[in-house]
mmCIF file with all atom_site columns, all heavy atoms in Angstrom:
data_model
loop_
_atom_site.group_PDB
_atom_site.id
_atom_site.type_symbol
_atom_site.label_atom_id
_atom_site.label_alt_id
_atom_site.label_comp_id
_atom_site.label_asym_id
_atom_site.label_entity_id
_atom_site.label_seq_id
_atom_site.pdbx_PDB_ins_code
_atom_site.Cartn_x
_atom_site.Cartn_y
_atom_site.Cartn_z
_atom_site.occupancy
_atom_site.B_iso_or_equiv
_atom_site.pdbx_formal_charge
_atom_site.auth_seq_id
_atom_site.auth_comp_id
_atom_site.auth_asym_id
_atom_site.auth_atom_id
_atom_site.pdbx_PDB_model_num
ATOM 1   N N   . ASP A 1 1  ? 29.052 -1.840  188.325 1.00 0.00 ? 1  ASP A N   1
ATOM 2   C CA  . ASP A 1 1  ? 28.815 -2.914  189.269 1.00 0.00 ? 1  ASP A CA  1
ATOM 3   C C   . ASP A 1 1  ? 29.047 -4.406  188.715 1.00 0.00 ? 1  ASP A C   1
ATOM 4   O O   . ASP A 1 1  ? 29.375 -5.124  189.424 1.00 0.00 ? 1  ASP A O   1
ATOM 5   C CB  . ASP A 1 1  ? 27.251 -2.822  189.831 1.00 0.00 ? 1  ASP A CB  1
ATOM 6   C CG  . ASP A 1 1  ? 27.131 -3.549  191.222 1.00 0.00 ? 1  ASP A CG  1
ATOM 7   O OD1 . ASP A 1 1  ? 28.103 -3.757  191.891 1.00 0.00 ? 1  ASP A OD1 1
ATOM 8   O OD2 . ASP A 1 1  ? 25.991 -3.802  191.554 1.00 0.00 ? 1  ASP A OD2 1
ATOM 9   N N   . ASP A 1 2  ? 28.692 -4.480  187.527 1.00 0.00 ? 2  ASP A N   1
ATOM 10  C CA  . ASP A 1 2  ? 28.820 -5.914  186.788 1.00 0.00 ? 2  ASP A CA  1
ATOM 11  C C   . ASP A 1 2  ? 30.231 -6.128  186.438 1.00 0.00 ? 2  ASP A C   1
ATOM 12  O O   . ASP A 1 2  ? 30.902 -5.306  185.792 1.00 0.00 ? 2  ASP A O   1
ATOM 13  C CB  . ASP A 1 2  ? 27.898 -5.810  185.568 1.00 0.00 ? 2  ASP A CB  1
ATOM 14  C CG  . ASP A 1 2  ? 27.833 -7.192  184.904 1.00 0.00 ? 2  ASP A CG  1
ATOM 15  O OD1 . ASP A 1 2  ? 28.258 -8.243  185.607 1.00 0.00 ? 2  ASP A OD1 1
ATOM 16  O OD2 . ASP A 1 2  ? 27.239 -7.198  183.808 1.00 0.00 ? 2  ASP A OD2 1
ATOM 17  N N   . PRO A 1 3  ? 30.872 -7.269  186.841 1.00 0.00 ? 3  PRO A N   1
ATOM 18  C CA  . PRO A 1 3  ? 32.321 -7.588  186.536 1.00 0.00 ? 3  PRO A CA  1
ATOM 19  C C   . PRO A 1 3  ? 32.570 -7.758  185.039 1.00 0.00 ? 3  PRO A C   1
ATOM 20  O O   . PRO A 1 3  ? 33.597 -7.475  184.427 1.00 0.00 ? 3  PRO A O   1
ATOM 21  C CB  . PRO A 1 3  ? 32.550 -8.818  187.224 1.00 0.00 ? 3  PRO A CB  1
ATOM 22  C CG  . PRO A 1 3  ? 31.455 -9.093  188.270 1.00 0.00 ? 3  PRO A CG  1
ATOM 23  C CD  . PRO A 1 3  ? 30.289 -8.251  187.781 1.00 0.00 ? 3  PRO A CD  1
ATOM 24  N N   . TRP A 1 4  ? 31.441 -8.254  184.235 1.00 0.00 ? 4  TRP A N   1
ATOM 25  C CA  . TRP A 1 4  ? 31.641 -8.374  182.918 1.00 0.00 ? 4  TRP A CA  1
ATOM 26  C C   . TRP A 1 4  ? 31.750 -7.102  182.201 1.00 0.00 ? 4  TRP A C   1
ATOM 27  O O   . TRP A 1 4  ? 32.499 -6.879  181.167 1.00 0.00 ? 4  TRP A O   1
ATOM 28  C CB  . TRP A 1 4  ? 30.392 -9.212  182.274 1.00 0.00 ? 4  TRP A CB  1
ATOM 29  C CG  . TRP A 1 4  ? 30.494 -10.646 182.489 1.00 0.00 ? 4  TRP A CG  1
ATOM 30  C CD1 . TRP A 1 4  ? 29.810 -11.287 183.573 1.00 0.00 ? 4  TRP A CD1 1
ATOM 31  C CD2 . TRP A 1 4  ? 31.372 -11.599 181.863 1.00 0.00 ? 4  TRP A CD2 1
ATOM 32  N NE1 . TRP A 1 4  ? 30.337 -12.810 183.447 1.00 0.00 ? 4  TRP A NE1 1
ATOM 33  C CE2 . TRP A 1 4  ? 31.289 -12.830 182.445 1.00 0.00 ? 4  TRP A CE2 1
ATOM 34  C CE3 . TRP A 1 4  ? 32.396 -11.502 180.788 1.00 0.00 ? 4  TRP A CE3 1
ATOM 35  C CZ2 . TRP A 1 4  ? 31.892 -13.958 182.059 1.00 0.00 ? 4  TRP A CZ2 1
ATOM 36  C CZ3 . TRP A 1 4  ? 32.988 -12.601 180.490 1.00 0.00 ? 4  TRP A CZ3 1
ATOM 37  C CH2 . TRP A 1 4  ? 32.734 -13.876 181.025 1.00 0.00 ? 4  TRP A CH2 1
ATOM 38  N N   . LEU A 1 5  ? 30.965 -6.135  182.549 1.00 0.00 ? 5  LEU A N   1
ATOM 39  C CA  . LEU A 1 5  ? 30.959 -4.719  182.039 1.00 0.00 ? 5  LEU A CA  1
ATOM 40  C C   . LEU A 1 5  ? 32.491 -4.145  182.304 1.00 0.00 ? 5  LEU A C   1
ATOM 41  O O   . LEU A 1 5  ? 32.929 -3.395  181.546 1.00 0.00 ? 5  LEU A O   1
ATOM 42  C CB  . LEU A 1 5  ? 29.876 -3.922  182.397 1.00 0.00 ? 5  LEU A CB  1
ATOM 43  C CG  . LEU A 1 5  ? 28.469 -4.332  181.901 1.00 0.00 ? 5  LEU A CG  1
ATOM 44  C CD1 . LEU A 1 5  ? 27.403 -3.540  182.420 1.00 0.00 ? 5  LEU A CD1 1
ATOM 45  C CD2 . LEU A 1 5  ? 28.462 -4.298  180.313 1.00 0.00 ? 5  LEU A CD2 1
ATOM 46  N N   . VAL A 1 6  ? 32.949 -4.405  183.557 1.00 0.00 ? 6  VAL A N   1
ATOM 47  C CA  . VAL A 1 6  ? 34.184 -3.911  183.767 1.00 0.00 ? 6  VAL A CA  1
ATOM 48  C C   . VAL A 1 6  ? 35.265 -4.519  182.942 1.00 0.00 ? 6  VAL A C   1
ATOM 49  O O   . VAL A 1 6  ? 36.213 -3.748  182.501 1.00 0.00 ? 6  VAL A O   1
ATOM 50  C CB  . VAL A 1 6  ? 34.506 -4.181  185.357 1.00 0.00 ? 6  VAL A CB  1
ATOM 51  C CG1 . VAL A 1 6  ? 35.967 -3.912  185.586 1.00 0.00 ? 6  VAL A CG1 1
ATOM 52  C CG2 . VAL A 1 6  ? 33.625 -3.382  186.297 1.00 0.00 ? 6  VAL A CG2 1
ATOM 53  N N   . ALA A 1 7  ? 35.249 -5.808  182.703 1.00 0.00 ? 7  ALA A N   1
ATOM 54  C CA  . ALA A 1 7  ? 36.103 -6.418  181.690 1.00 0.00 ? 7  ALA A CA  1
ATOM 55  C C   . ALA A 1 7  ? 36.071 -5.847  180.429 1.00 0.00 ? 7  ALA A C   1
ATOM 56  O O   . ALA A 1 7  ? 37.075 -5.551  179.703 1.00 0.00 ? 7  ALA A O   1
ATOM 57  C CB  . ALA A 1 7  ? 35.906 -7.878  181.714 1.00 0.00 ? 7  ALA A CB  1
ATOM 58  N N   . ILE A 1 8  ? 34.846 -5.606  179.838 1.00 0.00 ? 8  ILE A N   1
ATOM 59  C CA  . ILE A 1 8  ? 34.602 -5.024  178.447 1.00 0.00 ? 8  ILE A CA  1
ATOM 60  C C   . ILE A 1 8  ? 35.202 -3.510  178.579 1.00 0.00 ? 8  ILE A C   1
ATOM 61  O O   . ILE A 1 8  ? 35.924 -3.126  177.643 1.00 0.00 ? 8  ILE A O   1
ATOM 62  C CB  . ILE A 1 8  ? 33.168 -5.020  178.140 1.00 0.00 ? 8  ILE A CB  1
ATOM 63  C CG1 . ILE A 1 8  ? 32.696 -6.508  177.911 1.00 0.00 ? 8  ILE A CG1 1
ATOM 64  C CG2 . ILE A 1 8  ? 32.953 -4.197  176.965 1.00 0.00 ? 8  ILE A CG2 1
ATOM 65  C CD1 . ILE A 1 8  ? 31.197 -6.655  177.754 1.00 0.00 ? 8  ILE A CD1 1
ATOM 66  N N   . ALA A 1 9  ? 34.987 -2.802  179.574 1.00 0.00 ? 9  ALA A N   1
ATOM 67  C CA  . ALA A 1 9  ? 35.577 -1.390  179.625 1.00 0.00 ? 9  ALA A CA  1
ATOM 68  C C   . ALA A 1 9  ? 37.074 -1.523  179.643 1.00 0.00 ? 9  ALA A C   1
ATOM 69  O O   . ALA A 1 9  ? 37.782 -0.716  178.789 1.00 0.00 ? 9  ALA A O   1
ATOM 70  C CB  . ALA A 1 9  ? 34.903 -0.743  180.861 1.00 0.00 ? 9  ALA A CB  1
ATOM 71  N N   . VAL A 1 10 ? 37.675 -2.383  180.351 1.00 0.00 ? 10 VAL A N   1
ATOM 72  C CA  . VAL A 1 10 ? 39.146 -2.391  180.418 1.00 0.00 ? 10 VAL A CA  1
ATOM 73  C C   . VAL A 1 10 ? 39.644 -2.958  179.044 1.00 0.00 ? 10 VAL A C   1
ATOM 74  O O   . VAL A 1 10 ? 40.601 -2.553  178.454 1.00 0.00 ? 10 VAL A O   1
ATOM 75  C CB  . VAL A 1 10 ? 39.575 -3.443  181.510 1.00 0.00 ? 10 VAL A CB  1
ATOM 76  C CG1 . VAL A 1 10 ? 41.108 -3.778  181.283 1.00 0.00 ? 10 VAL A CG1 1
ATOM 77  C CG2 . VAL A 1 10 ? 39.299 -2.921  182.745 1.00 0.00 ? 10 VAL A CG2 1
ATOM 78  N N   . ALA A 1 11 ? 39.103 -3.910  178.404 1.00 0.00 ? 11 ALA A N   1
ATOM 79  C CA  . ALA A 1 11 ? 39.350 -4.240  176.973 1.00 0.00 ? 11 ALA A CA  1
ATOM 80  C C   . ALA A 1 11 ? 39.294 -3.182  176.158 1.00 0.00 ? 11 ALA A C   1
ATOM 81  O O   . ALA A 1 11 ? 40.173 -2.992  175.162 1.00 0.00 ? 11 ALA A O   1
ATOM 82  C CB  . ALA A 1 11 ? 38.543 -5.434  176.503 1.00 0.00 ? 11 ALA A CB  1
ATOM 83  N N   . LEU A 1 12 ? 38.300 -2.344  176.151 1.00 0.00 ? 12 LEU A N   1
ATOM 84  C CA  . LEU A 1 12 ? 38.159 -1.201  175.323 1.00 0.00 ? 12 LEU A CA  1
ATOM 85  C C   . LEU A 1 12 ? 39.334 -0.182  175.623 1.00 0.00 ? 12 LEU A C   1
ATOM 86  O O   . LEU A 1 12 ? 39.827 0.463   174.783 1.00 0.00 ? 12 LEU A O   1
ATOM 87  C CB  . LEU A 1 12 ? 36.826 -0.524  175.606 1.00 0.00 ? 12 LEU A CB  1
ATOM 88  C CG  . LEU A 1 12 ? 36.569 0.821   174.870 1.00 0.00 ? 12 LEU A CG  1
ATOM 89  C CD1 . LEU A 1 12 ? 36.435 0.458   173.341 1.00 0.00 ? 12 LEU A CD1 1
ATOM 90  C CD2 . LEU A 1 12 ? 35.381 1.460   175.349 1.00 0.00 ? 12 LEU A CD2 1
ATOM 91  N N   . GLY A 1 13 ? 39.666 -0.080  176.904 1.00 0.00 ? 13 GLY A N   1
ATOM 92  C CA  . GLY A 1 13 ? 40.762 0.806   177.254 1.00 0.00 ? 13 GLY A CA  1
ATOM 93  C C   . GLY A 1 13 ? 42.135 0.361   176.853 1.00 0.00 ? 13 GLY A C   1
ATOM 94  O O   . GLY A 1 13 ? 43.030 1.186   176.732 1.00 0.00 ? 13 GLY A O   1
ATOM 95  N N   . VAL A 1 14 ? 42.288 -0.985  176.592 1.00 0.00 ? 14 VAL A N   1
ATOM 96  C CA  . VAL A 1 14 ? 43.608 -1.508  176.282 1.00 0.00 ? 14 VAL A CA  1
ATOM 97  C C   . VAL A 1 14 ? 43.740 -1.680  174.762 1.00 0.00 ? 14 VAL A C   1
ATOM 98  O O   . VAL A 1 14 ? 44.915 -1.206  174.260 1.00 0.00 ? 14 VAL A O   1
ATOM 99  C CB  . VAL A 1 14 ? 43.716 -2.959  177.012 1.00 0.00 ? 14 VAL A CB  1
ATOM 100 C CG1 . VAL A 1 14 ? 44.993 -3.593  176.410 1.00 0.00 ? 14 VAL A CG1 1
ATOM 101 C CG2 . VAL A 1 14 ? 43.786 -2.709  178.443 1.00 0.00 ? 14 VAL A CG2 1
ATOM 102 N N   . PHE A 1 15 ? 42.824 -2.139  174.019 1.00 0.00 ? 15 PHE A N   1
ATOM 103 C CA  . PHE A 1 15 ? 43.160 -2.534  172.724 1.00 0.00 ? 15 PHE A CA  1
ATOM 104 C C   . PHE A 1 15 ? 43.202 -1.556  171.628 1.00 0.00 ? 15 PHE A C   1
ATOM 105 O O   . PHE A 1 15 ? 44.000 -1.588  170.805 1.00 0.00 ? 15 PHE A O   1
ATOM 106 C CB  . PHE A 1 15 ? 42.068 -3.730  172.334 1.00 0.00 ? 15 PHE A CB  1
ATOM 107 C CG  . PHE A 1 15 ? 42.664 -4.981  173.074 1.00 0.00 ? 15 PHE A CG  1
ATOM 108 C CD1 . PHE A 1 15 ? 41.750 -5.559  173.898 1.00 0.00 ? 15 PHE A CD1 1
ATOM 109 C CD2 . PHE A 1 15 ? 43.861 -5.466  173.099 1.00 0.00 ? 15 PHE A CD2 1
ATOM 110 C CE1 . PHE A 1 15 ? 42.051 -6.576  174.719 1.00 0.00 ? 15 PHE A CE1 1
ATOM 111 C CE2 . PHE A 1 15 ? 44.146 -6.666  173.751 1.00 0.00 ? 15 PHE A CE2 1
ATOM 112 C CZ  . PHE A 1 15 ? 43.296 -7.318  174.499 1.00 0.00 ? 15 PHE A CZ  1
ATOM 113 N N   . PRO A 1 16 ? 42.263 -0.552  171.601 1.00 0.00 ? 16 PRO A N   1
ATOM 114 C CA  . PRO A 1 16 ? 42.651 0.556   170.727 1.00 0.00 ? 16 PRO A CA  1
ATOM 115 C C   . PRO A 1 16 ? 43.534 1.487   171.605 1.00 0.00 ? 16 PRO A C   1
ATOM 116 O O   . PRO A 1 16 ? 43.097 2.402   172.237 1.00 0.00 ? 16 PRO A O   1
ATOM 117 C CB  . PRO A 1 16 ? 41.451 1.384   170.316 1.00 0.00 ? 16 PRO A CB  1
ATOM 118 C CG  . PRO A 1 16 ? 40.424 0.678   171.275 1.00 0.00 ? 16 PRO A CG  1
ATOM 119 C CD  . PRO A 1 16 ? 40.918 -0.434  171.917 1.00 0.00 ? 16 PRO A CD  1
ATOM 120 N N   . PRO A 1 17 ? 44.900 1.322   171.547 1.00 0.00 ? 17 PRO A N   1
ATOM 121 C CA  . PRO A 1 17 ? 45.792 2.115   172.454 1.00 0.00 ? 17 PRO A CA  1
ATOM 122 C C   . PRO A 1 17 ? 45.638 3.666   172.151 1.00 0.00 ? 17 PRO A C   1
ATOM 123 O O   . PRO A 1 17 ? 45.493 4.070   171.186 1.00 0.00 ? 17 PRO A O   1
ATOM 124 C CB  . PRO A 1 17 ? 47.222 1.645   172.038 1.00 0.00 ? 17 PRO A CB  1
ATOM 125 C CG  . PRO A 1 17 ? 47.050 0.497   171.045 1.00 0.00 ? 17 PRO A CG  1
ATOM 126 C CD  . PRO A 1 17 ? 45.710 0.611   170.622 1.00 0.00 ? 17 PRO A CD  1
ATOM 127 N N   . PHE A 1 18 ? 45.532 4.202   173.330 1.00 0.00 ? 18 PHE A N   1
ATOM 128 C CA  . PHE A 1 18 ? 45.425 5.651   173.559 1.00 0.00 ? 18 PHE A CA  1
ATOM 129 C C   . PHE A 1 18 ? 44.051 6.182   173.057 1.00 0.00 ? 18 PHE A C   1
ATOM 130 O O   . PHE A 1 18 ? 43.520 7.261   173.539 1.00 0.00 ? 18 PHE A O   1
ATOM 131 C CB  . PHE A 1 18 ? 46.434 6.433   172.730 1.00 0.00 ? 18 PHE A CB  1
ATOM 132 C CG  . PHE A 1 18 ? 47.847 5.808   173.115 1.00 0.00 ? 18 PHE A CG  1
ATOM 133 C CD1 . PHE A 1 18 ? 48.725 5.278   172.233 1.00 0.00 ? 18 PHE A CD1 1
ATOM 134 C CD2 . PHE A 1 18 ? 48.360 6.106   174.373 1.00 0.00 ? 18 PHE A CD2 1
ATOM 135 C CE1 . PHE A 1 18 ? 49.981 4.866   172.568 1.00 0.00 ? 18 PHE A CE1 1
ATOM 136 C CE2 . PHE A 1 18 ? 49.639 5.694   174.781 1.00 0.00 ? 18 PHE A CE2 1
ATOM 137 C CZ  . PHE A 1 18 ? 50.369 5.002   173.849 1.00 0.00 ? 18 PHE A CZ  1
ATOM 138 N N   . ALA A 1 19 ? 43.464 5.512   172.204 1.00 0.00 ? 19 ALA A N   1
ATOM 139 C CA  . ALA A 1 19 ? 42.002 5.879   171.834 1.00 0.00 ? 19 ALA A CA  1
ATOM 140 C C   . ALA A 1 19 ? 40.917 5.367   172.637 1.00 0.00 ? 19 ALA A C   1
ATOM 141 O O   . ALA A 1 19 ? 39.803 5.882   172.993 1.00 0.00 ? 19 ALA A O   1
ATOM 142 C CB  . ALA A 1 19 ? 41.812 5.667   170.247 1.00 0.00 ? 19 ALA A CB  1
ATOM 143 N N   . GLY A 1 20 ? 41.242 4.172   173.174 1.00 0.00 ? 20 GLY A N   1
ATOM 144 C CA  . GLY A 1 20 ? 40.318 3.344   174.068 1.00 0.00 ? 20 GLY A CA  1
ATOM 145 C C   . GLY A 1 20 ? 39.963 4.190   175.279 1.00 0.00 ? 20 GLY A C   1
ATOM 146 O O   . GLY A 1 20 ? 38.753 4.161   175.525 1.00 0.00 ? 20 GLY A O   1
ATOM 147 N N   . PRO A 1 21 ? 40.853 4.790   175.986 1.00 0.00 ? 21 PRO A N   1
ATOM 148 C CA  . PRO A 1 21 ? 40.552 5.496   177.276 1.00 0.00 ? 21 PRO A CA  1
ATOM 149 C C   . PRO A 1 21 ? 39.529 6.645   176.914 1.00 0.00 ? 21 PRO A C   1
ATOM 150 O O   . PRO A 1 21 ? 38.705 7.020   177.740 1.00 0.00 ? 21 PRO A O   1
ATOM 151 C CB  . PRO A 1 21 ? 41.804 5.974   177.866 1.00 0.00 ? 21 PRO A CB  1
ATOM 152 C CG  . PRO A 1 21 ? 42.754 4.813   177.429 1.00 0.00 ? 21 PRO A CG  1
ATOM 153 C CD  . PRO A 1 21 ? 42.380 4.417   175.975 1.00 0.00 ? 21 PRO A CD  1
ATOM 154 N N   . VAL A 1 22 ? 39.848 7.361   175.733 1.00 0.00 ? 22 VAL A N   1
ATOM 155 C CA  . VAL A 1 22 ? 39.010 8.551   175.341 1.00 0.00 ? 22 VAL A CA  1
ATOM 156 C C   . VAL A 1 22 ? 37.609 8.001   175.174 1.00 0.00 ? 22 VAL A C   1
ATOM 157 O O   . VAL A 1 22 ? 36.665 8.511   175.426 1.00 0.00 ? 22 VAL A O   1
ATOM 158 C CB  . VAL A 1 22 ? 39.646 9.143   174.087 1.00 0.00 ? 22 VAL A CB  1
ATOM 159 C CG1 . VAL A 1 22 ? 38.737 10.278  173.628 1.00 0.00 ? 22 VAL A CG1 1
ATOM 160 C CG2 . VAL A 1 22 ? 41.012 9.731   174.514 1.00 0.00 ? 22 VAL A CG2 1
ATOM 161 N N   . ILE A 1 23 ? 37.423 6.885   174.396 1.00 0.00 ? 23 ILE A N   1
ATOM 162 C CA  . ILE A 1 23 ? 36.120 6.273   174.073 1.00 0.00 ? 23 ILE A CA  1
ATOM 163 C C   . ILE A 1 23 ? 35.466 5.998   175.417 1.00 0.00 ? 23 ILE A C   1
ATOM 164 O O   . ILE A 1 23 ? 34.297 6.129   175.553 1.00 0.00 ? 23 ILE A O   1
ATOM 165 C CB  . ILE A 1 23 ? 36.237 5.095   173.020 1.00 0.00 ? 23 ILE A CB  1
ATOM 166 C CG1 . ILE A 1 23 ? 36.788 5.595   171.713 1.00 0.00 ? 23 ILE A CG1 1
ATOM 167 C CG2 . ILE A 1 23 ? 35.016 4.332   172.935 1.00 0.00 ? 23 ILE A CG2 1
ATOM 168 C CD1 . ILE A 1 23 ? 37.238 4.402   170.912 1.00 0.00 ? 23 ILE A CD1 1
ATOM 169 N N   . TYR A 1 24 ? 36.416 5.376   176.259 1.00 0.00 ? 24 TYR A N   1
ATOM 170 C CA  . TYR A 1 24 ? 35.622 4.977   177.722 1.00 0.00 ? 24 TYR A CA  1
ATOM 171 C C   . TYR A 1 24 ? 35.055 6.246   178.279 1.00 0.00 ? 24 TYR A C   1
ATOM 172 O O   . TYR A 1 24 ? 34.062 6.157   178.950 1.00 0.00 ? 24 TYR A O   1
ATOM 173 C CB  . TYR A 1 24 ? 36.687 4.227   178.512 1.00 0.00 ? 24 TYR A CB  1
ATOM 174 C CG  . TYR A 1 24 ? 36.305 4.058   179.939 1.00 0.00 ? 24 TYR A CG  1
ATOM 175 C CD1 . TYR A 1 24 ? 35.290 3.197   180.300 1.00 0.00 ? 24 TYR A CD1 1
ATOM 176 C CD2 . TYR A 1 24 ? 36.749 4.903   180.898 1.00 0.00 ? 24 TYR A CD2 1
ATOM 177 C CE1 . TYR A 1 24 ? 34.877 2.996   181.657 1.00 0.00 ? 24 TYR A CE1 1
ATOM 178 C CE2 . TYR A 1 24 ? 36.379 4.800   182.203 1.00 0.00 ? 24 TYR A CE2 1
ATOM 179 C CZ  . TYR A 1 24 ? 35.473 3.922   182.578 1.00 0.00 ? 24 TYR A CZ  1
ATOM 180 O OH  . TYR A 1 24 ? 35.069 3.695   183.788 1.00 0.00 ? 24 TYR A OH  1
ATOM 181 N N   . LEU A 1 25 ? 35.900 7.400   178.329 1.00 0.00 ? 25 LEU A N   1
ATOM 182 C CA  . LEU A 1 25 ? 35.521 8.432   178.934 1.00 0.00 ? 25 LEU A CA  1
ATOM 183 C C   . LEU A 1 25 ? 34.196 9.014   178.356 1.00 0.00 ? 25 LEU A C   1
ATOM 184 O O   . LEU A 1 25 ? 33.389 9.628   179.133 1.00 0.00 ? 25 LEU A O   1
ATOM 185 C CB  . LEU A 1 25 ? 36.583 9.608   178.679 1.00 0.00 ? 25 LEU A CB  1
ATOM 186 C CG  . LEU A 1 25 ? 37.692 9.757   179.594 1.00 0.00 ? 25 LEU A CG  1
ATOM 187 C CD1 . LEU A 1 25 ? 38.602 10.698  179.187 1.00 0.00 ? 25 LEU A CD1 1
ATOM 188 C CD2 . LEU A 1 25 ? 37.245 10.055  180.984 1.00 0.00 ? 25 LEU A CD2 1
ATOM 189 N N   . LEU A 1 26 ? 33.908 8.824   177.148 1.00 0.00 ? 26 LEU A N   1
ATOM 190 C CA  . LEU A 1 26 ? 32.691 9.341   176.538 1.00 0.00 ? 26 LEU A CA  1
ATOM 191 C C   . LEU A 1 26 ? 31.479 8.468   176.870 1.00 0.00 ? 26 LEU A C   1
ATOM 192 O O   . LEU A 1 26 ? 30.244 8.987   176.936 1.00 0.00 ? 26 LEU A O   1
ATOM 193 C CB  . LEU A 1 26 ? 32.806 9.322   174.871 1.00 0.00 ? 26 LEU A CB  1
ATOM 194 C CG  . LEU A 1 26 ? 33.787 10.197  174.323 1.00 0.00 ? 26 LEU A CG  1
ATOM 195 C CD1 . LEU A 1 26 ? 33.995 10.136  172.848 1.00 0.00 ? 26 LEU A CD1 1
ATOM 196 C CD2 . LEU A 1 26 ? 33.541 11.704  174.729 1.00 0.00 ? 26 LEU A CD2 1
ATOM 197 N N   . PHE A 1 27 ? 31.660 7.252   177.135 1.00 0.00 ? 27 PHE A N   1
ATOM 198 C CA  . PHE A 1 27 ? 30.551 6.300   177.428 1.00 0.00 ? 27 PHE A CA  1
ATOM 199 C C   . PHE A 1 27 ? 30.462 5.802   178.936 1.00 0.00 ? 27 PHE A C   1
ATOM 200 O O   . PHE A 1 27 ? 29.644 4.940   179.209 1.00 0.00 ? 27 PHE A O   1
ATOM 201 C CB  . PHE A 1 27 ? 30.636 5.107   176.514 1.00 0.00 ? 27 PHE A CB  1
ATOM 202 C CG  . PHE A 1 27 ? 30.246 5.648   175.068 1.00 0.00 ? 27 PHE A CG  1
ATOM 203 C CD1 . PHE A 1 27 ? 31.445 5.710   174.217 1.00 0.00 ? 27 PHE A CD1 1
ATOM 204 C CD2 . PHE A 1 27 ? 29.162 6.069   174.694 1.00 0.00 ? 27 PHE A CD2 1
ATOM 205 C CE1 . PHE A 1 27 ? 31.168 6.055   172.830 1.00 0.00 ? 27 PHE A CE1 1
ATOM 206 C CE2 . PHE A 1 27 ? 28.846 6.387   173.332 1.00 0.00 ? 27 PHE A CE2 1
ATOM 207 C CZ  . PHE A 1 27 ? 29.862 6.492   172.489 1.00 0.00 ? 27 PHE A CZ  1
ATOM 208 N N   . ARG A 1 28 ? 31.385 6.249   179.813 1.00 0.00 ? 28 ARG A N   1
ATOM 209 C CA  . ARG A 1 28 ? 31.285 5.734   181.122 1.00 0.00 ? 28 ARG A CA  1
ATOM 210 C C   . ARG A 1 28 ? 30.209 6.163   181.909 1.00 0.00 ? 28 ARG A C   1
ATOM 211 O O   . ARG A 1 28 ? 29.686 7.373   181.608 1.00 0.00 ? 28 ARG A O   1
ATOM 212 C CB  . ARG A 1 28 ? 32.636 5.974   181.802 1.00 0.00 ? 28 ARG A CB  1
ATOM 213 C CG  . ARG A 1 28 ? 32.775 7.500   182.198 1.00 0.00 ? 28 ARG A CG  1
ATOM 214 C CD  . ARG A 1 28 ? 34.055 7.702   182.864 1.00 0.00 ? 28 ARG A CD  1
ATOM 215 N NE  . ARG A 1 28 ? 34.112 9.259   183.220 1.00 0.00 ? 28 ARG A NE  1
ATOM 216 C CZ  . ARG A 1 28 ? 35.065 9.687   184.002 1.00 0.00 ? 28 ARG A CZ  1
ATOM 217 N NH1 . ARG A 1 28 ? 36.050 8.996   184.487 1.00 0.00 ? 28 ARG A NH1 1
ATOM 218 N NH2 . ARG A 1 28 ? 35.039 11.061  184.267 1.00 0.00 ? 28 ARG A NH2 1
#
């Protein structure tokens, strides 16, 4: 719900390429 947390999740999904989405999957 929080836009800041959405931005942090997207940054996590972008910057460690290919590993970021996997990390996001574990903590979403």
Side-chain angles (χ1 to χ4, degrees):
D1 200 19
D2 186 16
W4 283 101
L5 291 177
V6 171
I8 291 170
V10 171
L12 177 69
V14 171
F15 291 120
F18 308 113
V22 174
I23 295 169
Y24 169 74
L25 275 173
L26 295 174
F27 294 105
R28 71 182 181 169

